[in-house]
Amino acid sequence: MADRLPIIAGNWKMHRDHLEAIQLVQKLAYHLEGDDYAGQEVVLCPPFIALRSIQTLIQSDGLPMKLGAQTCHHEDEGAFTGEISVPMLERLDVEYVLAGHSERRAMFGETDEVVNAKVQAIRSHGLRPILCVGESLEQREAGRAEDVVTEQLRGSLAGVTVSDPHDLVVAYEPVWAIGTGKTATPDDAQQMCAAVRSELGSLLGQPTADQLRIQYGGSVKPGNIRALMAEPDVDGVLVGGASLSSEDFALIVAHRRERG
Ligand code: PEP
């Protein structure tokens, strides 16, 4: 099996102001030991307004955590009131940017075309997209889950080339499992992540696809992390709700610890 560095990311969505954000990171760091970070990446995606505070905290305390943003605009600058560009994120040491999260697709009209422009912008500045794809319950029940995800991957990655497989992460997030408490079974997660990898093979070449990291997201908790991470094509998780609890997110990050 390819040697893929696991990646555990927390998407805080529109939760926590910059002061609460500092507290959350401090508590998380308190719960984690050096070994917990080893051999995997831990990424925090707070609201934009907390990026600067967390950047400072990570630097001053030497925390082995990386910064991610929840979205971006595809232009570098301009008259786009309320938007944040990739170069602005770069200045804050942001390494990862979510693109195409299902909430942005559903509530902010992000089409595959828009997501594609964002992925290209993120890559053009050397940051790493975490491209989110996933089917709705209706689409799953109609037996279309793989087709939907394939179409999202093709649209969102059109014209994208990847020379270093570390530079693109895909998060498979079934919409029906996000924030609902319903998790895909490890078997379902594996089947879909394998389908994602196979499509990535067609788009980017099999050697690259074998090295790319694919996350599962959707109601990941301390109680299901181990089973999900045991699946061969699940290289990490994207965590929403549980990333807002320092205890729970620490247990997710530290899932390899012996429990006794
Ligand atoms: C998410 O928002 O990406 C997510 C997976 O949320 P939750 O873990 O709350 O289902």
Side-chain angles (χ1 to χ4, degrees):
M1 200 187 74
D3 196 10
R4 298 185 291 259
L5 184 67
I7 174 165
I8 312 264
N11 170 19
W12 296 6
K13 312 193 186 192
M14 198 172 72
H15 296 287
R16 305 294 182 261
D17 63 31
H18 72 291
L19 296 174
E20 293 165 335
I22 293 172
Q23 276 191 346
L24 181 51
V25 178
Q26 283 172 330
K27 284 188 191 164
L28 180 60
Y30 170 80
H31 290 301
L32 289 171
E33 294 162 13
D35 280 357
D36 296 328
Y37 301 98
Q40 60 181 3
E41 282 186 296
V42 178
V43 182
L44 305 177
C45 306
F48 287 134
I49 50 94
L51 286 170
R52 177 68 171 141
S53 318
I54 301 181
Q55 177 204 30
T56 306
L57 181 59
I58 285 177
Q59 271 176 7
S60 63
D61 290 11
L63 300 175
M65 298 176 190
K66 298 189 168 173
L67 267 182
Q70 297 175 17
T71 185
C72 64
H73 194 273
H74 65 274
E75 294 286 354
D76 283 0
E77 62 178 357
F80 302 105
T81 302
E83 294 294 312
I84 301 288
S85 72
V86 180
M88 292 171 181
L89 297 173
E90 192 180 6
R91 295 277 289 148
L92 291 166
D93 296 335
V94 167
E95 272 187 50
Y96 288 91
V97 186
L98 303 185
H101 189 279
S102 61
E103 287 156 14
R104 301 229 36 110
R105 290 177 188 264
M107 291 183 249
F108 302 97
E110 288 191 11
T111 59
D112 287 336
E113 209 180 354
V114 171
V115 175
N116 179 246
K118 294 187 184 210
V119 169
Q120 306 251 20
I122 297 163
R123 281 305 306 128
S124 73
H125 291 281
L127 278 69
R128 300 176 171 135
I130 299 181
L131 168 64
C132 304
V133 295
E135 81 288 355
S136 65
L137 186 57
E138 201 185 9
Q139 291 163 332
R140 169 154 285 260
E141 285 176 347
R144 296 192 50 237
E146 289 193 19
D147 289 349
V148 168
V149 164
T150 298
E151 198 178 313
Q152 289 173 336
L153 288 169
R154 287 184 188 162
S156 309
L157 292 175
V160 173
T161 51
V162 179
S163 46
D164 181 345
H166 197 72
D167 286 345
L168 172 68
V169 177
V170 175
Y172 165 64
E173 299 207 299
V175 177
W176 48 270
I178 296 183
T180 58
K182 290 184 195 146
T183 319
T185 63
D187 276 358
D188 284 344
Q190 164 57 24
Q191 190 191 329
M192 288 302 293
C193 289
V196 166
R197 196 176 306 285
S198 151
E199 181 56 26
L200 290 171
S202 308
L203 292 171
L204 304 167
Q206 203 54 51
T208 299
D210 286 341
Q211 297 291 328
L212 281 177
R213 291 167 303 160
I214 302 174
Q215 295 176 308
Y216 165 79
S219 298
V220 174
K221 304 182 257 296
N224 57 27
I225 179 71
R226 282 185 172 208
L228 288 163
M229 290 297 287
E231 295 295 342
D233 282 291
V234 176
D235 307 313
V237 285
L238 181 54
V239 186
S243 70
L244 295 169
S245 154
S246 56
E247 289 88 353
D248 283 356
F249 196 58
L251 285 169
I252 289 169
V253 172
H255 66 278
R256 299 162 305 176
R257 262 190 216 170
E258 290 297 327
R259 306 239 170 89

PDB file of all heavy atoms in Angstrom, residues 11 13 101 103 173 177-181 217-220 238-242, ligand 1:
ATOM      1  N   ASN A  11     -13.036  21.278  10.922  1.00  0.00           N
ATOM      2  CA  ASN A  11     -13.727  22.390  10.260  1.00  0.00           C
ATOM      3  C   ASN A  11     -14.678  23.006  11.292  1.00  0.00           C
ATOM      4  O   ASN A  11     -15.706  22.420  11.604  1.00  0.00           O
ATOM      5  CB  ASN A  11     -14.508  21.843   9.047  1.00  0.00           C
ATOM      6  CG  ASN A  11     -15.435  22.883   8.452  1.00  0.00           C
ATOM      7  OD1 ASN A  11     -15.286  24.088   8.680  1.00  0.00           O
ATOM      8  ND2 ASN A  11     -16.401  22.417   7.660  1.00  0.00           N
ATOM      9  N   LYS A  13     -16.453  25.631  11.051  1.00  0.00           N
ATOM     10  CA  LYS A  13     -17.589  26.344  10.440  1.00  0.00           C
ATOM     11  C   LYS A  13     -17.714  27.739  11.067  1.00  0.00           C
ATOM     12  O   LYS A  13     -16.703  28.338  11.415  1.00  0.00           O
ATOM     13  CB  LYS A  13     -18.872  25.532  10.584  1.00  0.00           C
ATOM     14  CG  LYS A  13     -18.669  24.069  10.177  1.00  0.00           C
ATOM     15  CD  LYS A  13     -19.930  23.306  10.013  1.00  0.00           C
ATOM     16  CE  LYS A  13     -19.595  21.851   9.747  1.00  0.00           C
ATOM     17  NZ  LYS A  13     -20.705  21.065   9.296  1.00  0.00           N
ATOM     18  N   HIS A 101     -17.026  22.615   0.013  1.00  0.00           N
ATOM     19  CA  HIS A 101     -17.756  21.972   1.109  1.00  0.00           C
ATOM     20  C   HIS A 101     -19.246  21.965   0.762  1.00  0.00           C
ATOM     21  O   HIS A 101     -19.753  22.909   0.165  1.00  0.00           O
ATOM     22  CB  HIS A 101     -17.511  22.742   2.420  1.00  0.00           C
ATOM     23  CG  HIS A 101     -18.056  22.002   3.609  1.00  0.00           C
ATOM     24  ND1 HIS A 101     -19.387  22.041   3.955  1.00  0.00           N
ATOM     25  CD2 HIS A 101     -17.459  21.195   4.516  1.00  0.00           C
ATOM     26  CE1 HIS A 101     -19.574  21.287   5.027  1.00  0.00           C
ATOM     27  NE2 HIS A 101     -18.418  20.757   5.384  1.00  0.00           N
ATOM     28  N   GLU A 103     -21.851  22.540   2.341  1.00  0.00           N
ATOM     29  CA  GLU A 103     -22.633  23.698   2.803  1.00  0.00           C
ATOM     30  C   GLU A 103     -22.443  24.874   1.851  1.00  0.00           C
ATOM     31  O   GLU A 103     -23.364  25.647   1.609  1.00  0.00           O
ATOM     32  CB  GLU A 103     -22.241  24.052   4.244  1.00  0.00           C
ATOM     33  CG  GLU A 103     -22.805  23.025   5.224  1.00  0.00           C
ATOM     34  CD  GLU A 103     -22.057  22.908   6.533  1.00  0.00           C
ATOM     35  OE1 GLU A 103     -21.229  23.787   6.851  1.00  0.00           O
ATOM     36  OE2 GLU A 103     -22.296  21.913   7.244  1.00  0.00           O
ATOM     37  N   GLU A 173     -17.400  13.359   1.629  1.00  0.00           N
ATOM     38  CA  GLU A 173     -18.326  13.691   2.712  1.00  0.00           C
ATOM     39  C   GLU A 173     -19.768  13.508   2.242  1.00  0.00           C
ATOM     40  O   GLU A 173     -20.328  14.396   1.576  1.00  0.00           O
ATOM     41  CB  GLU A 173     -18.150  15.155   3.131  1.00  0.00           C
ATOM     42  CG  GLU A 173     -16.782  15.490   3.651  1.00  0.00           C
ATOM     43  CD  GLU A 173     -16.863  16.658   4.620  1.00  0.00           C
ATOM     44  OE1 GLU A 173     -17.283  17.755   4.216  1.00  0.00           O
ATOM     45  OE2 GLU A 173     -16.527  16.459   5.789  1.00  0.00           O
ATOM     46  N   ALA A 177     -24.577  12.622   6.001  1.00  0.00           N
ATOM     47  CA  ALA A 177     -23.858  12.277   7.249  1.00  0.00           C
ATOM     48  C   ALA A 177     -23.283  13.516   7.930  1.00  0.00           C
ATOM     49  O   ALA A 177     -22.747  13.433   9.032  1.00  0.00           O
ATOM     50  CB  ALA A 177     -22.727  11.294   6.935  1.00  0.00           C
ATOM     51  N   ILE A 178     -23.425  14.687   7.280  1.00  0.00           N
ATOM     52  CA  ILE A 178     -22.790  15.892   7.838  1.00  0.00           C
ATOM     53  C   ILE A 178     -23.690  16.547   8.871  1.00  0.00           C
ATOM     54  O   ILE A 178     -24.817  16.959   8.554  1.00  0.00           O
ATOM     55  CB  ILE A 178     -22.428  16.887   6.717  1.00  0.00           C
ATOM     56  CG1 ILE A 178     -21.376  16.247   5.815  1.00  0.00           C
ATOM     57  CG2 ILE A 178     -21.921  18.197   7.290  1.00  0.00           C
ATOM     58  CD1 ILE A 178     -20.879  17.140   4.715  1.00  0.00           C
ATOM     59  N   GLY A 179     -23.206  16.581  10.093  1.00  0.00           N
ATOM     60  CA  GLY A 179     -23.935  17.247  11.175  1.00  0.00           C
ATOM     61  C   GLY A 179     -25.217  16.530  11.569  1.00  0.00           C
ATOM     62  O   GLY A 179     -26.049  17.078  12.285  1.00  0.00           O
ATOM     63  N   THR A 180     -25.381  15.292  11.126  1.00  0.00           N
ATOM     64  CA  THR A 180     -26.634  14.580  11.396  1.00  0.00           C
ATOM     65  C   THR A 180     -26.475  13.511  12.459  1.00  0.00           C
ATOM     66  O   THR A 180     -27.470  12.968  12.935  1.00  0.00           O
ATOM     67  CB  THR A 180     -27.113  13.863  10.118  1.00  0.00           C
ATOM     68  OG1 THR A 180     -26.074  12.965   9.694  1.00  0.00           O
ATOM     69  CG2 THR A 180     -27.427  14.853   9.009  1.00  0.00           C
ATOM     70  N   GLY A 181     -25.241  13.191  12.800  1.00  0.00           N
ATOM     71  CA  GLY A 181     -25.015  12.093  13.732  1.00  0.00           C
ATOM     72  C   GLY A 181     -24.987  10.753  13.009  1.00  0.00           C
ATOM     73  O   GLY A 181     -24.632   9.732  13.584  1.00  0.00           O
ATOM     74  N   GLY A 217     -15.488  12.322   5.747  1.00  0.00           N
ATOM     75  CA  GLY A 217     -16.088  13.295   6.670  1.00  0.00           C
ATOM     76  C   GLY A 217     -17.577  13.053   6.788  1.00  0.00           C
ATOM     77  O   GLY A 217     -18.247  12.721   5.796  1.00  0.00           O
ATOM     78  N   GLY A 218     -18.086  13.215   7.987  1.00  0.00           N
ATOM     79  CA  GLY A 218     -19.517  13.037   8.233  1.00  0.00           C
ATOM     80  C   GLY A 218     -19.720  12.385   9.580  1.00  0.00           C
ATOM     81  O   GLY A 218     -19.590  11.175   9.711  1.00  0.00           O
ATOM     82  N   SER A 219     -19.958  13.239  10.607  1.00  0.00           N
ATOM     83  CA  SER A 219     -20.222  12.757  11.964  1.00  0.00           C
ATOM     84  C   SER A 219     -19.110  11.848  12.503  1.00  0.00           C
ATOM     85  O   SER A 219     -19.383  10.825  13.139  1.00  0.00           O
ATOM     86  CB  SER A 219     -21.588  12.068  12.039  1.00  0.00           C
ATOM     87  OG  SER A 219     -22.618  12.991  11.711  1.00  0.00           O
ATOM     88  N   VAL A 220     -17.867  12.231  12.229  1.00  0.00           N
ATOM     89  CA  VAL A 220     -16.736  11.505  12.827  1.00  0.00           C
ATOM     90  C   VAL A 220     -16.664  11.872  14.312  1.00  0.00           C
ATOM     91  O   VAL A 220     -16.816  13.038  14.684  1.00  0.00           O
ATOM     92  CB  VAL A 220     -15.411  11.860  12.119  1.00  0.00           C
ATOM     93  CG1 VAL A 220     -14.226  11.216  12.826  1.00  0.00           C
ATOM     94  CG2 VAL A 220     -15.460  11.425  10.654  1.00  0.00           C
ATOM     95  N   LEU A 238     -12.215  14.540   7.983  1.00  0.00           N
ATOM     96  CA  LEU A 238     -12.572  15.950   8.098  1.00  0.00           C
ATOM     97  C   LEU A 238     -13.705  15.983   9.115  1.00  0.00           C
ATOM     98  O   LEU A 238     -14.738  15.336   8.932  1.00  0.00           O
ATOM     99  CB  LEU A 238     -13.004  16.489   6.733  1.00  0.00           C
ATOM    100  CG  LEU A 238     -13.407  17.967   6.656  1.00  0.00           C
ATOM    101  CD1 LEU A 238     -12.318  18.872   7.208  1.00  0.00           C
ATOM    102  CD2 LEU A 238     -13.697  18.355   5.197  1.00  0.00           C
ATOM    103  N   VAL A 239     -13.461  16.708  10.197  1.00  0.00           N
ATOM    104  CA  VAL A 239     -14.360  16.645  11.349  1.00  0.00           C
ATOM    105  C   VAL A 239     -15.030  17.995  11.551  1.00  0.00           C
ATOM    106  O   VAL A 239     -14.351  19.020  11.659  1.00  0.00           O
ATOM    107  CB  VAL A 239     -13.545  16.293  12.625  1.00  0.00           C
ATOM    108  CG1 VAL A 239     -14.477  16.062  13.816  1.00  0.00           C
ATOM    109  CG2 VAL A 239     -12.660  15.088  12.386  1.00  0.00           C
ATOM    110  N   GLY A 240     -16.345  18.018  11.630  1.00  0.00           N
ATOM    111  CA  GLY A 240     -17.065  19.258  11.901  1.00  0.00           C
ATOM    112  C   GLY A 240     -17.365  19.383  13.379  1.00  0.00           C
ATOM    113  O   GLY A 240     -16.509  19.793  14.172  1.00  0.00           O
ATOM    114  N   GLY A 241     -18.564  18.999  13.778  1.00  0.00           N
ATOM    115  CA  GLY A 241     -19.045  19.187  15.151  1.00  0.00           C
ATOM    116  C   GLY A 241     -18.046  18.777  16.226  1.00  0.00           C
ATOM    117  O   GLY A 241     -17.803  19.529  17.180  1.00  0.00           O
ATOM    118  N   ALA A 242     -17.462  17.592  16.085  1.00  0.00           N
ATOM    119  CA  ALA A 242     -16.578  17.085  17.148  1.00  0.00           C
ATOM    120  C   ALA A 242     -15.270  17.871  17.241  1.00  0.00           C
ATOM    121  O   ALA A 242     -14.552  17.764  18.237  1.00  0.00           O
ATOM    122  CB  ALA A 242     -16.291  15.599  16.938  1.00  0.00           C
TER     123      ALA A 242
HETATM  124  C1  PEP B   1     -18.080  18.838   7.968  1.00  0.00           C
HETATM  125  O1  PEP B   1     -18.643  19.897   8.161  1.00  0.00           O
HETATM  126  O2  PEP B   1     -17.196  18.762   7.100  1.00  0.00           O
HETATM  127  C2  PEP B   1     -18.471  17.679   8.775  1.00  0.00           C
HETATM  128  C3  PEP B   1     -18.008  16.510   8.434  1.00  0.00           C
HETATM  129  O3  PEP B   1     -19.305  17.921   9.823  1.00  0.00           O
HETATM  130  P1  PEP B   1     -19.709  16.880  10.988  1.00  0.00           P
HETATM  131  O4  PEP B   1     -18.460  16.201  11.454  1.00  0.00           O
HETATM  132  O5  PEP B   1     -20.355  17.718  12.044  1.00  0.00           O
HETATM  133  O6  PEP B   1     -20.668  15.900  10.373  1.00  0.00           O
END
